[in-house]
mmCIF file of all heavy atoms in Angstrom:
data_model
loop_
_atom_site.group_PDB
_atom_site.id
_atom_site.type_symbol
_atom_site.label_atom_id
_atom_site.label_comp_id
_atom_site.label_asym_id
_atom_site.label_seq_id
_atom_site.Cartn_x
_atom_site.Cartn_y
_atom_site.Cartn_z
ATOM 1 N N HIS A 1 19.821 17.665 29.246
ATOM 2 C CA HIS A 1 20.829 17.298 28.257
ATOM 3 C C HIS A 1 20.096 16.563 27.136
ATOM 4 O O HIS A 1 19.439 15.546 27.381
ATOM 5 C CB HIS A 1 21.906 16.399 28.867
ATOM 6 C CG HIS A 1 23.100 16.224 27.991
ATOM 7 N ND1 HIS A 1 23.074 15.424 26.862
ATOM 8 C CD2 HIS A 1 24.342 16.756 28.063
ATOM 9 C CE1 HIS A 1 24.255 15.462 26.288
ATOM 10 N NE2 HIS A 1 25.047 16.269 26.983
ATOM 11 N N ALA A 2 20.203 17.079 25.909
ATOM 12 C CA ALA A 2 19.446 16.527 24.776
ATOM 13 C C ALA A 2 19.662 15.031 24.592
ATOM 14 O O ALA A 2 18.725 14.299 24.282
ATOM 15 C CB ALA A 2 19.807 17.272 23.494
ATOM 16 N N ARG A 3 20.873 14.562 24.779
ATOM 17 C CA ARG A 3 21.150 13.142 24.553
ATOM 18 C C ARG A 3 20.732 12.280 25.738
ATOM 19 O O ARG A 3 20.058 11.262 25.581
ATOM 20 C CB ARG A 3 22.634 12.949 24.263
ATOM 21 C CG ARG A 3 22.995 11.507 24.016
ATOM 22 C CD ARG A 3 24.443 11.349 23.605
ATOM 23 N NE ARG A 3 24.825 9.953 23.613
ATOM 24 C CZ ARG A 3 26.055 9.530 23.763
ATOM 25 N NH1 ARG A 3 27.041 10.387 23.896
ATOM 26 N NH2 ARG A 3 26.333 8.253 23.773
ATOM 27 N N PHE A 4 21.129 12.692 26.936
ATOM 28 C CA PHE A 4 20.918 11.830 28.097
ATOM 29 C C PHE A 4 19.508 11.921 28.676
ATOM 30 O O PHE A 4 19.094 11.048 29.434
ATOM 31 C CB PHE A 4 21.974 12.121 29.162
ATOM 32 C CG PHE A 4 23.373 11.909 28.660
ATOM 33 C CD1 PHE A 4 24.281 12.953 28.605
ATOM 34 C CD2 PHE A 4 23.777 10.670 28.189
ATOM 35 C CE1 PHE A 4 25.569 12.765 28.118
ATOM 36 C CE2 PHE A 4 25.063 10.461 27.698
ATOM 37 C CZ PHE A 4 25.956 11.510 27.661
ATOM 38 N N CYS A 5 18.754 12.963 28.334
ATOM 39 C CA CYS A 5 17.378 13.080 28.812
ATOM 40 C C CYS A 5 16.368 12.506 27.814
ATOM 41 O O CYS A 5 15.175 12.481 28.092
ATOM 42 C CB CYS A 5 17.035 14.547 29.104
ATOM 43 S SG CYS A 5 17.937 15.223 30.514
ATOM 44 N N ALA A 6 16.826 12.058 26.670
ATOM 45 C CA ALA A 6 15.912 11.474 25.672
ATOM 46 C C ALA A 6 15.328 10.175 26.223
ATOM 47 O O ALA A 6 16.061 9.323 26.725
ATOM 48 C CB ALA A 6 16.653 11.213 24.366
ATOM 49 N N LEU A 7 14.022 10.043 26.155
ATOM 50 C CA LEU A 7 13.357 8.849 26.663
ATOM 51 C C LEU A 7 13.246 7.758 25.606
ATOM 52 O O LEU A 7 13.229 6.578 25.925
ATOM 53 C CB LEU A 7 11.959 9.211 27.178
ATOM 54 C CG LEU A 7 11.924 10.219 28.324
ATOM 55 C CD1 LEU A 7 10.491 10.534 28.700
ATOM 56 C CD2 LEU A 7 12.695 9.687 29.524
ATOM 57 N N SER A 8 13.133 8.154 24.348
ATOM 58 C CA SER A 8 13.051 7.169 23.271
ATOM 59 C C SER A 8 13.406 7.852 21.956
ATOM 60 O O SER A 8 13.507 9.070 21.880
ATOM 61 C CB SER A 8 11.643 6.558 23.181
ATOM 62 O OG SER A 8 10.714 7.533 22.762
ATOM 63 N N ARG A 9 13.575 7.047 20.943
ATOM 64 C CA ARG A 9 13.835 7.532 19.592
ATOM 65 C C ARG A 9 12.940 6.747 18.646
ATOM 66 O O ARG A 9 12.700 5.558 18.851
ATOM 67 C CB ARG A 9 15.311 7.340 19.221
ATOM 68 C CG ARG A 9 16.224 8.256 20.009
ATOM 69 C CD ARG A 9 17.694 7.898 19.802
ATOM 70 N NE ARG A 9 18.559 8.812 20.523
ATOM 71 C CZ ARG A 9 18.870 8.717 21.807
ATOM 72 N NH1 ARG A 9 18.384 7.728 22.528
ATOM 73 N NH2 ARG A 9 19.666 9.592 22.374
ATOM 74 N N THR A 10 12.452 7.413 17.629
ATOM 75 C CA THR A 10 11.586 6.772 16.646
ATOM 76 C C THR A 10 12.303 6.767 15.307
ATOM 77 O O THR A 10 12.859 7.779 14.892
ATOM 78 C CB THR A 10 10.248 7.536 16.524
ATOM 79 O OG1 THR A 10 9.602 7.527 17.791
ATOM 80 C CG2 THR A 10 9.345 6.895 15.482
ATOM 81 N N TYR A 11 12.300 5.631 14.642
ATOM 82 C CA TYR A 11 12.938 5.481 13.341
ATOM 83 C C TYR A 11 11.887 5.096 12.322
ATOM 84 O O TYR A 11 11.027 4.264 12.596
ATOM 85 C CB TYR A 11 14.026 4.401 13.383
ATOM 86 C CG TYR A 11 15.138 4.732 14.346
ATOM 87 C CD1 TYR A 11 15.053 4.380 15.690
ATOM 88 C CD2 TYR A 11 16.260 5.433 13.919
ATOM 89 C CE1 TYR A 11 16.068 4.697 16.581
ATOM 90 C CE2 TYR A 11 17.278 5.758 14.796
ATOM 91 C CZ TYR A 11 17.177 5.388 16.122
ATOM 92 O OH TYR A 11 18.178 5.715 16.989
ATOM 93 N N ILE A 12 11.958 5.684 11.139
ATOM 94 C CA ILE A 12 11.039 5.348 10.059
ATOM 95 C C ILE A 12 11.881 4.884 8.875
ATOM 96 O O ILE A 12 12.791 5.585 8.439
ATOM 97 C CB ILE A 12 10.181 6.566 9.652
ATOM 98 C CG1 ILE A 12 9.322 7.017 10.839
ATOM 99 C CG2 ILE A 12 9.314 6.226 8.438
ATOM 100 C CD1 ILE A 12 8.578 8.306 10.588
ATOM 101 N N TYR A 13 11.570 3.698 8.389
ATOM 102 C CA TYR A 13 12.252 3.137 7.225
ATOM 103 C C TYR A 13 11.227 3.064 6.106
ATOM 104 O O TYR A 13 10.194 2.422 6.254
ATOM 105 C CB TYR A 13 12.811 1.746 7.537
ATOM 106 C CG TYR A 13 13.792 1.760 8.676
ATOM 107 C CD1 TYR A 13 13.378 1.537 9.989
ATOM 108 C CD2 TYR A 13 15.138 2.026 8.454
ATOM 109 C CE1 TYR A 13 14.284 1.569 11.040
ATOM 110 C CE2 TYR A 13 16.042 2.059 9.496
ATOM 111 C CZ TYR A 13 15.607 1.827 10.782
ATOM 112 O OH TYR A 13 16.506 1.859 11.815
ATOM 113 N N ARG A 14 11.500 3.721 5.009
ATOM 114 C CA ARG A 14 10.550 3.788 3.900
ATOM 115 C C ARG A 14 11.043 2.962 2.716
ATOM 116 O O ARG A 14 12.181 3.106 2.294
ATOM 117 C CB ARG A 14 10.357 5.236 3.481
ATOM 118 C CG ARG A 14 9.764 6.064 4.614
ATOM 119 C CD ARG A 14 9.683 7.540 4.275
ATOM 120 N NE ARG A 14 8.778 7.734 3.175
ATOM 121 C CZ ARG A 14 9.053 8.504 2.121
ATOM 122 N NH1 ARG A 14 10.189 9.139 2.028
ATOM 123 N NH2 ARG A 14 8.185 8.632 1.156
ATOM 124 N N LEU A 15 10.151 2.103 2.198
ATOM 125 C CA LEU A 15 10.457 1.291 1.033
ATOM 126 C C LEU A 15 9.566 1.756 -0.113
ATOM 127 O O LEU A 15 8.361 1.893 0.045
ATOM 128 C CB LEU A 15 10.171 -0.189 1.308
ATOM 129 C CG LEU A 15 10.861 -0.820 2.516
ATOM 130 C CD1 LEU A 15 10.448 -2.273 2.650
ATOM 131 C CD2 LEU A 15 12.363 -0.703 2.386
ATOM 132 N N LEU A 16 10.153 1.996 -1.256
ATOM 133 C CA LEU A 16 9.404 2.373 -2.452
ATOM 134 C C LEU A 16 9.384 1.154 -3.364
ATOM 135 O O LEU A 16 10.429 0.680 -3.812
ATOM 136 C CB LEU A 16 10.074 3.555 -3.144
ATOM 137 C CG LEU A 16 9.391 4.084 -4.394
ATOM 138 C CD1 LEU A 16 7.999 4.611 -4.058
ATOM 139 C CD2 LEU A 16 10.233 5.188 -5.016
ATOM 140 N N LEU A 17 8.202 0.627 -3.617
ATOM 141 C CA LEU A 17 8.070 -0.609 -4.389
ATOM 142 C C LEU A 17 7.706 -0.314 -5.836
ATOM 143 O O LEU A 17 7.103 0.711 -6.145
ATOM 144 C CB LEU A 17 7.001 -1.497 -3.758
ATOM 145 C CG LEU A 17 7.224 -1.836 -2.287
ATOM 146 C CD1 LEU A 17 6.076 -2.664 -1.757
ATOM 147 C CD2 LEU A 17 8.543 -2.547 -2.084
ATOM 148 N N GLY A 18 8.077 -1.227 -6.712
ATOM 149 C CA GLY A 18 7.674 -1.130 -8.106
ATOM 150 C C GLY A 18 8.656 -0.408 -9.006
ATOM 151 O O GLY A 18 8.346 -0.137 -10.159
ATOM 152 N N CYS A 19 9.835 -0.073 -8.525
ATOM 153 C CA CYS A 19 10.849 0.572 -9.360
ATOM 154 C C CYS A 19 11.797 -0.501 -9.892
ATOM 155 O O CYS A 19 12.470 -1.168 -9.116
ATOM 156 C CB CYS A 19 11.645 1.610 -8.563
ATOM 157 S SG CYS A 19 10.696 3.048 -8.105
ATOM 158 N N ALA A 20 11.843 -0.628 -11.194
ATOM 159 C CA ALA A 20 12.727 -1.624 -11.798
ATOM 160 C C ALA A 20 14.175 -1.142 -11.795
ATOM 161 O O ALA A 20 15.102 -1.936 -11.837
ATOM 162 C CB ALA A 20 12.278 -1.918 -13.231
ATOM 163 N N HIS A 21 14.380 0.178 -11.732
ATOM 164 C CA HIS A 21 15.725 0.755 -11.777
ATOM 165 C C HIS A 21 15.739 2.007 -10.897
ATOM 166 O O HIS A 21 14.726 2.704 -10.782
ATOM 167 C CB HIS A 21 16.075 1.101 -13.232
ATOM 168 C CG HIS A 21 17.498 1.497 -13.411
ATOM 169 N ND1 HIS A 21 17.902 2.804 -13.369
ATOM 170 C CD2 HIS A 21 18.618 0.748 -13.624
ATOM 171 C CE1 HIS A 21 19.208 2.861 -13.557
ATOM 172 N NE2 HIS A 21 19.666 1.616 -13.717
ATOM 173 N N HIS A 22 16.886 2.301 -10.272
ATOM 174 C CA HIS A 22 16.957 3.448 -9.361
ATOM 175 C C HIS A 22 16.633 4.778 -10.041
ATOM 176 O O HIS A 22 16.219 5.730 -9.396
ATOM 177 C CB HIS A 22 18.328 3.523 -8.664
ATOM 178 C CG HIS A 22 19.473 3.814 -9.582
ATOM 179 N ND1 HIS A 22 19.806 5.084 -9.970
ATOM 180 C CD2 HIS A 22 20.344 2.982 -10.192
ATOM 181 C CE1 HIS A 22 20.851 5.039 -10.783
ATOM 182 N NE2 HIS A 22 21.200 3.761 -10.927
ATOM 183 N N SER A 23 16.757 4.843 -11.364
ATOM 184 C CA SER A 23 16.429 6.081 -12.083
ATOM 185 C C SER A 23 14.929 6.372 -12.067
ATOM 186 O O SER A 23 14.506 7.473 -12.395
ATOM 187 C CB SER A 23 16.930 6.004 -13.528
ATOM 188 O OG SER A 23 16.261 4.971 -14.224
ATOM 189 N N GLN A 24 14.116 5.376 -11.683
ATOM 190 C CA GLN A 24 12.666 5.561 -11.627
ATOM 191 C C GLN A 24 12.202 6.150 -10.302
ATOM 192 O O GLN A 24 11.034 6.477 -10.147
ATOM 193 C CB GLN A 24 11.953 4.224 -11.864
ATOM 194 C CG GLN A 24 12.160 3.676 -13.251
ATOM 195 C CD GLN A 24 11.496 2.315 -13.404
ATOM 196 O OE1 GLN A 24 11.458 1.518 -12.475
ATOM 197 N NE2 GLN A 24 10.972 2.055 -14.600
ATOM 198 N N ILE A 25 13.096 6.294 -9.347
ATOM 199 C CA ILE A 25 12.724 6.877 -8.051
ATOM 200 C C ILE A 25 12.423 8.353 -8.272
ATOM 201 O O ILE A 25 13.232 9.068 -8.860
ATOM 202 C CB ILE A 25 13.850 6.700 -7.020
ATOM 203 C CG1 ILE A 25 14.141 5.213 -6.801
ATOM 204 C CG2 ILE A 25 13.501 7.387 -5.705
ATOM 205 C CD1 ILE A 25 15.361 4.945 -5.943
ATOM 206 N N PRO A 26 11.272 8.843 -7.813
ATOM 207 C CA PRO A 26 10.955 10.268 -7.966
ATOM 208 C C PRO A 26 12.054 11.134 -7.353
ATOM 209 O O PRO A 26 12.628 10.782 -6.319
ATOM 210 C CB PRO A 26 9.635 10.430 -7.214
ATOM 211 C CG PRO A 26 9.037 9.063 -7.207
ATOM 212 C CD PRO A 26 10.196 8.110 -7.158
ATOM 213 N N VAL A 27 12.328 12.253 -7.969
ATOM 214 C CA VAL A 27 13.451 13.096 -7.553
ATOM 215 C C VAL A 27 13.350 13.507 -6.084
ATOM 216 O O VAL A 27 14.361 13.589 -5.386
ATOM 217 C CB VAL A 27 13.592 14.322 -8.495
ATOM 218 C CG1 VAL A 27 12.426 15.290 -8.337
ATOM 219 C CG2 VAL A 27 14.905 15.026 -8.257
ATOM 220 N N PHE A 28 12.154 13.756 -5.586
ATOM 221 C CA PHE A 28 12.012 14.190 -4.195
ATOM 222 C C PHE A 28 12.077 13.036 -3.199
ATOM 223 O O PHE A 28 12.069 13.248 -2.001
ATOM 224 C CB PHE A 28 10.722 14.996 -4.006
ATOM 225 C CG PHE A 28 10.730 16.291 -4.771
ATOM 226 C CD1 PHE A 28 9.877 16.489 -5.834
ATOM 227 C CD2 PHE A 28 11.629 17.295 -4.429
ATOM 228 C CE1 PHE A 28 9.911 17.673 -6.558
ATOM 229 C CE2 PHE A 28 11.666 18.483 -5.131
ATOM 230 C CZ PHE A 28 10.808 18.683 -6.195
ATOM 231 N N GLU A 29 12.140 11.815 -3.706
ATOM 232 C CA GLU A 29 12.261 10.644 -2.844
ATOM 233 C C GLU A 29 13.690 10.110 -2.795
ATOM 234 O O GLU A 29 14.010 9.271 -1.958
ATOM 235 C CB GLU A 29 11.321 9.522 -3.314
ATOM 236 C CG GLU A 29 9.857 9.848 -3.190
ATOM 237 C CD GLU A 29 9.410 9.976 -1.744
ATOM 238 O OE1 GLU A 29 9.959 9.282 -0.864
ATOM 239 O OE2 GLU A 29 8.504 10.785 -1.495
ATOM 240 N N ARG A 30 14.561 10.581 -3.697
ATOM 241 C CA ARG A 30 15.937 10.087 -3.721
ATOM 242 C C ARG A 30 16.600 10.335 -2.387
ATOM 243 O O ARG A 30 16.453 11.389 -1.796
ATOM 244 C CB ARG A 30 16.727 10.771 -4.834
ATOM 245 C CG ARG A 30 16.306 10.257 -6.177
ATOM 246 C CD ARG A 30 17.306 10.554 -7.260
ATOM 247 N NE ARG A 30 16.694 10.157 -8.525
ATOM 248 C CZ ARG A 30 16.536 10.963 -9.550
ATOM 249 N NH1 ARG A 30 16.985 12.186 -9.515
ATOM 250 N NH2 ARG A 30 15.944 10.531 -10.637
ATOM 251 N N ASP A 31 17.318 9.390 -1.907
ATOM 252 C CA ASP A 31 18.027 9.444 -0.621
ATOM 253 C C ASP A 31 17.088 9.495 0.575
ATOM 254 O O ASP A 31 17.531 9.718 1.704
ATOM 255 C CB ASP A 31 18.996 10.638 -0.572
ATOM 256 C CG ASP A 31 20.050 10.571 -1.657
ATOM 257 O OD1 ASP A 31 20.497 9.440 -1.977
ATOM 258 O OD2 ASP A 31 20.416 11.624 -2.183
ATOM 259 N N LEU A 32 15.783 9.342 0.367
ATOM 260 C CA LEU A 32 14.827 9.350 1.481
ATOM 261 C C LEU A 32 14.117 8.006 1.640
ATOM 262 O O LEU A 32 13.305 7.842 2.538
ATOM 263 C CB LEU A 32 13.778 10.455 1.286
ATOM 264 C CG LEU A 32 14.306 11.881 1.297
ATOM 265 C CD1 LEU A 32 13.173 12.862 1.010
ATOM 266 C CD2 LEU A 32 14.959 12.209 2.634
ATOM 267 N N CYS A 33 14.384 7.083 0.737
ATOM 268 C CA CYS A 33 13.750 5.769 0.833
ATOM 269 C C CYS A 33 14.648 4.742 0.164
ATOM 270 O O CYS A 33 15.625 5.088 -0.488
ATOM 271 C CB CYS A 33 12.362 5.787 0.178
ATOM 272 S SG CYS A 33 12.393 6.066 -1.596
ATOM 273 N N TRP A 34 14.306 3.502 0.332
ATOM 274 C CA TRP A 34 15.025 2.398 -0.295
ATOM 275 C C TRP A 34 14.070 1.773 -1.303
ATOM 276 O O TRP A 34 12.894 1.538 -0.986
ATOM 277 C CB TRP A 34 15.461 1.392 0.755
ATOM 278 C CG TRP A 34 16.187 0.199 0.217
ATOM 279 C CD1 TRP A 34 17.186 0.196 -0.711
ATOM 280 C CD2 TRP A 34 15.968 -1.163 0.572
ATOM 281 N NE1 TRP A 34 17.617 -1.099 -0.949
ATOM 282 C CE2 TRP A 34 16.877 -1.946 -0.170
ATOM 283 C CE3 TRP A 34 15.104 -1.793 1.446
ATOM 284 C CZ2 TRP A 34 16.938 -3.323 -0.070
ATOM 285 C CZ3 TRP A 34 15.165 -3.170 1.557
ATOM 286 C CH2 TRP A 34 16.081 -3.918 0.805
ATOM 287 N N ALA A 35 14.539 1.511 -2.498
ATOM 288 C CA ALA A 35 13.714 0.931 -3.553
ATOM 289 C C ALA A 35 14.254 -0.455 -3.896
ATOM 290 O O ALA A 35 15.033 -0.614 -4.832
ATOM 291 C CB ALA A 35 13.700 1.838 -4.783
ATOM 292 N N PRO A 36 13.850 -1.474 -3.127
ATOM 293 C CA PRO A 36 14.347 -2.827 -3.413
ATOM 294 C C PRO A 36 13.727 -3.379 -4.687
ATOM 295 O O PRO A 36 12.585 -3.076 -5.016
ATOM 296 C CB PRO A 36 13.882 -3.632 -2.193
ATOM 297 C CG PRO A 36 12.677 -2.908 -1.708
ATOM 298 C CD PRO A 36 12.910 -1.453 -2.012
ATOM 299 N N ALA A 37 14.503 -4.174 -5.396
ATOM 300 C CA ALA A 37 13.995 -4.823 -6.608
ATOM 301 C C ALA A 37 13.017 -5.919 -6.210
ATOM 302 O O ALA A 37 13.068 -6.447 -5.103
ATOM 303 C CB ALA A 37 15.162 -5.409 -7.401
ATOM 304 N N GLY A 38 12.139 -6.256 -7.095
ATOM 305 C CA GLY A 38 11.207 -7.346 -6.827
ATOM 306 C C GLY A 38 9.779 -6.841 -6.794
ATOM 307 O O GLY A 38 9.504 -5.661 -6.965
ATOM 308 N N GLY A 39 8.894 -7.764 -6.542
ATOM 309 C CA GLY A 39 7.467 -7.453 -6.570
ATOM 310 C C GLY A 39 6.919 -7.077 -5.209
ATOM 311 O O GLY A 39 7.625 -6.557 -4.353
ATOM 312 N N ALA A 40 5.670 -7.402 -5.029
ATOM 313 C CA ALA A 40 4.946 -7.058 -3.804
ATOM 314 C C ALA A 40 5.547 -7.787 -2.599
ATOM 315 O O ALA A 40 6.145 -8.855 -2.730
ATOM 316 C CB ALA A 40 3.476 -7.428 -3.963
ATOM 317 N N LEU A 41 5.368 -7.185 -1.450
ATOM 318 C CA LEU A 41 5.842 -7.785 -0.199
ATOM 319 C C LEU A 41 4.688 -8.488 0.500
ATOM 320 O O LEU A 41 3.528 -8.093 0.362
ATOM 321 C CB LEU A 41 6.411 -6.701 0.715
ATOM 322 C CG LEU A 41 7.591 -5.913 0.150
ATOM 323 C CD1 LEU A 41 7.993 -4.808 1.111
ATOM 324 C CD2 LEU A 41 8.774 -6.828 -0.108
ATOM 325 N N ASN A 42 5.011 -9.501 1.274
ATOM 326 C CA ASN A 42 4.007 -10.232 2.037
ATOM 327 C C ASN A 42 3.861 -9.524 3.388
ATOM 328 O O ASN A 42 4.571 -9.838 4.351
ATOM 329 C CB ASN A 42 4.445 -11.689 2.206
ATOM 330 C CG ASN A 42 3.402 -12.528 2.893
ATOM 331 O OD1 ASN A 42 2.571 -12.032 3.652
ATOM 332 N ND2 ASN A 42 3.453 -13.831 2.643
ATOM 333 N N ILE A 43 2.946 -8.565 3.440
ATOM 334 C CA ILE A 43 2.766 -7.736 4.636
ATOM 335 C C ILE A 43 2.378 -8.567 5.859
ATOM 336 O O ILE A 43 2.961 -8.396 6.939
ATOM 337 C CB ILE A 43 1.738 -6.605 4.380
ATOM 338 C CG1 ILE A 43 2.169 -5.749 3.193
ATOM 339 C CG2 ILE A 43 1.535 -5.768 5.629
ATOM 340 C CD1 ILE A 43 3.495 -5.071 3.346
ATOM 341 N N PRO A 44 1.420 -9.503 5.766
ATOM 342 C CA PRO A 44 1.091 -10.308 6.952
ATOM 343 C C PRO A 44 2.293 -11.079 7.491
ATOM 344 O O PRO A 44 2.507 -11.149 8.706
ATOM 345 C CB PRO A 44 -0.011 -11.257 6.457
ATOM 346 C CG PRO A 44 -0.655 -10.503 5.329
ATOM 347 C CD PRO A 44 0.481 -9.770 4.668
ATOM 348 N N ALA A 45 3.116 -11.645 6.607
ATOM 349 C CA ALA A 45 4.305 -12.383 7.055
ATOM 350 C C ALA A 45 5.316 -11.438 7.696
ATOM 351 O O ALA A 45 5.965 -11.789 8.684
ATOM 352 C CB ALA A 45 4.940 -13.117 5.875
#
């Protein structure tokens, strides 16, 4: 059974950085990533 025999699920969340406005998101990335406002992220934190 596809649902009940699944052992795990993997989720990928993609952030596109450096877009001041949603119109700057590349057309092939629309609806495939989140473009939060602001600058660089603190990756170690």
Side-chain angles (χ1 to χ4, degrees):
H1 192 286
R3 180 175 170 205
F4 301 118
C5 292
L7 299 178
S8 67
R9 291 171 178 83
T10 300
Y11 298 87
I12 298 173
Y13 301 92
R14 298 174 64 226
L15 305 179
L16 181 62
L17 304 177
C19 291
H21 189 267
H22 66 83
S23 64
Q24 294 177 325
I25 300 172
V27 68
F28 295 113
E29 294 293 328
R30 287 198 187 124
D31 300 324
L32 296 177
C33 65
W34 179 45
L41 300 176
N42 185 335
I43 303 300

